[in-house]
Amino acid sequence: MVEESQKERQVLPKESVWARLKKPPKCSFFALLVAGMALGILMWGGLNTAMEWTNRSEFCISCHEMSIPYEELKQTVHYKNRSGTTVNCSDCHVASSKTPTDYLFKSFQKLMAARDVIGKITGVVDTPEKFEAHRLVMAKRVWERMESRDSKECRNCHNFATMDPDKQKARSQIKHEEAQEDKITCIECHKGIAHKPIHHLLEAEAEAAQAGK
């Protein structure tokens, strides 16, 4: 009797995780399928909600320095116009091409946007003066990205196929025709259209580089 009671008190070794996974589930396949779908919906819904919540302009300008370009945007036709359409920060800076396959790019841009937060914390752009000092560097980064994607951020709203040339100025008509013929992307001509125009500094930078050779 003593031996039997001792055997009963013996602790069985813990089963490994791998061994548990190899065992068939005690619930039905249908129940697993429903649980997996519910979990997937919750995860996707949570991720998408967080994505859209952080895409709001209010969130972007919660860093004081970001209110500088936002105030500049408010003075342009992209913010206020006769048709009442407007854009948020994310429409140009985190925009995808509105296709499911481009969701990964949109997520990557959200990750890259964290550099602004890091710049704020580390003191790189934590004052208006420092922001201005780094403005050209940040602008060039955005221009290069948009050029590499054929200005998809612009083309989400603007499309040559749906433009009405008769409602454009003569100069705009000519330039748009040339752009289509020469495969020029939007941002090559429209730098500084939503913020303080500093693209002219590129020419000065190029001239200085040329002079230094």
Side-chain angles (χ1 to χ4, degrees):
M1 293 293 292
V2 177
E3 291 180 0
E4 289 180 2
S5 61
Q6 287 178 348
K7 289 180 180 179
E8 290 176 359
R9 287 197 298 268
Q10 286 180 351
V11 180
L12 295 174
K14 289 186 177 180
E15 196 173 29
S16 67
V17 176
W18 178 246
R20 292 178 184 177
L21 290 174
K22 289 194 296 183
K23 284 186 176 180
K26 295 180 180 179
C27 54
S28 66
F29 174 77
F30 179 75
L32 281 176
L33 181 63
V34 171
M37 290 177 62
L39 181 61
I41 291 171
L42 287 173
M43 291 178 64
W44 179 261
L47 178 63
N48 194 58
T49 299
M51 180 83 74
E52 295 306 318
W53 191 83
T54 56
N55 273 348
R56 298 173 306 130
S57 292
E58 293 80 4
F59 178 84
C60 298
I61 63 174
S62 59
C63 285
H64 176 70
E65 293 70 35
M66 291 299 111
S67 64
I68 298 173
Y70 186 67
E71 288 300 319
E72 295 169 357
L73 169 66
K74 289 168 67 175
Q75 305 304 314
T76 70
V77 70
H78 276 98
Y79 183 83
K80 190 174 183 179
N81 49 68
R82 64 183 180 182
S83 63
T85 58
T86 189
V87 297
N88 293 313
C89 305
S90 59
D91 291 323
C92 296
H93 291 280
V94 194
S96 67
S97 61
K98 295 185 177 180
T99 58
T101 54
D102 224 21
Y103 190 82
L104 287 176
F105 176 81
K106 188 175 181 178
S107 302
F108 178 73
Q109 285 305 117
K110 291 294 293 184
L111 182 62
M112 290 296 99
R115 287 184 297 190
D116 295 331
V117 180
I118 296 172
K120 166 79 173 179
I121 296 172
T122 57
V124 177
V125 291
D126 62 338
T127 66
E129 294 75 19
K130 291 180 181 178
F131 182 89
E132 288 297 330
H134 288 82
R135 184 189 280 264
L136 182 59
V137 174
M138 294 186 290
K140 285 169 64 178
R141 186 184 301 143
V142 174
W143 296 336
E144 289 170 3
R145 172 176 57 79
M146 293 179 73
E147 283 188 31
S148 68
R149 287 172 51 78
D150 193 21
S151 302
K152 284 187 177 181
E153 293 81 358
C154 303
R155 298 179 192 278
N156 281 340
C157 298
H158 304 282
N159 193 321
F160 284 130
T162 54
M163 284 183 181
D164 187 351
D166 295 334
K167 294 182 179 179
Q168 297 177 350
K169 294 179 180 179
R171 183 175 181 274
S172 297
Q173 292 181 24
I174 295 172
K175 289 295 182 181
H176 286 155
E177 288 176 2
E178 292 176 352
Q180 292 180 77
E181 291 174 1
D182 300 334
K183 306 299 181 183
I184 299 174
T185 190
C186 310
I187 196 61
E188 292 184 59
C189 296
H190 293 286
K191 291 182 176 72
I193 197 171
H195 299 301
K196 178 181 176 180
I198 58 170
H199 53 285
H200 60 281
L201 297 178
L202 291 174
E203 297 177 6
E205 189 178 64
E207 290 175 2
Q210 188 68 27
K213 288 184 179 179

